[in-house]
Amino acid sequence: MKLLRKLYDWVLHWAKTPYGPLALFVIAFTESSFFPIPPDALLIALVLGSTTKAFRFAATCLAGSVTGALFRYAIGYFLWWTPSGDFTPIANFFFNNIPGFSVTTFNEIKRLYDEHDFWIIFTAGFTPLPYKVITISSGAFKINLSVFIIASIISRGARFFLVAFLIWKFGPQIKTFIDKYFNWLAVAFTVLLVGGFLLIKYFI
């Protein structure tokens, strides 16, 4: 826990430097594969420091996250399987060293993909579900690249722009609320959004 706290403080310190936006892009790029601190923390700090750039920071965060997702899709697509269909040493490295990765989880995600492709990517991109597992698995299971990109942009964009909007609109007083209840807010927003899509599909 002390290590995570130090890492969290290190992430936040970038908001006080001229390199904050670049650090935001890099952290968003790495977060969905191995970095344990979500970019939302730095995004909130940057927006609090300059509310006029709130949506520019959200766009930077989105660009880093989706670019990183595509990089991890490529890892899954090109480097996950041997010609005989076994896991490569890279795959085994992720299973043995990256939190959230396991063969059991990987196989369960394959089942979910078969039933829900777009929705499982969308849900993981917005909520606390392990997005790092989803991005690599999408490539490993050769999920349609267009579906992957669209779902990632919509879900990650909704997440980061919602955070930026709340800080832009309500200022510092909402920061504590977001920090404490972000996961619940994300789940609730996803339920409402998915429910809206299903209603549209049902009535149309």
Side-chain angles (χ1 to χ4, degrees), residues 171-193:
Q173 62 266 34
I174 202 172
K175 179 182 181 296
T176 302
F177 181 80
I178 293 176
D179 288 342
K180 187 174 181 180
Y181 297 109
F182 178 79
N183 287 347
W184 287 108
L185 289 170
V187 171
F189 182 84
T190 301
V191 169
L192 290 173
L193 193 58

Side-chain angles (χ1 to χ4, degrees), residues 28-29 31-32 60-69 72 131 156 160:
F29 181 96
E31 176 260 341
S32 48
T60 298
C61 201
L62 173 61
S65 183
V66 174
T67 303
R72 284 173 290 283
Y131 190 59
R156 299 303 263 186
F160 299 138

Side-chain angles (χ1 to χ4, degrees), residues 93-111:
F93 172 83
F94 274 83
F95 289 137
N96 295 328
N97 296 282
I98 304 300
F101 272 88
S102 71
V103 175
T104 301
T105 302
F106 192 72
N107 291 331
E108 176 62 16
I109 287 175
K110 174 62 167 66
R111 184 188 66 79

Side-chain angles (χ1 to χ4, degrees), residues 142-156:
K142 296 180 170 52
I143 298 301
N144 182 279
L145 183 58
S146 297
V147 169
F148 176 79
I149 293 173
I150 292 170
S152 295
I153 290 174
I154 294 175
S155 61
R156 299 303 263 186

Side-chain angles (χ1 to χ4, degrees), residues 33-111:
S33 59
F34 63 88
F35 197 69
I37 306 298
D40 309 78
L42 180 55
L43 174 61
I44 290 171
L46 287 171
V47 175
L48 284 173
S50 180
T51 54
T52 59
K53 298 179 181 178
F55 302 110
R56 187 186 307 176
F57 292 141
T60 298
C61 201
L62 173 61
S65 183
V66 174
T67 303
L70 287 170
F71 175 74
R72 284 173 290 283
Y73 181 98
I75 291 176
Y77 193 94
F78 295 108
L79 303 176
W80 207 252
W81 306 106
T82 66
S84 60
D86 297 321
F87 292 124
T88 63
I90 290 176
N92 286 320
F93 172 83
F94 274 83
F95 289 137
N96 295 328
N97 296 282
I98 304 300
F101 272 88
S102 71
V103 175
T104 301
T105 302
F106 192 72
N107 291 331
E108 176 62 16
I109 287 175
K110 174 62 167 66
R111 184 188 66 79

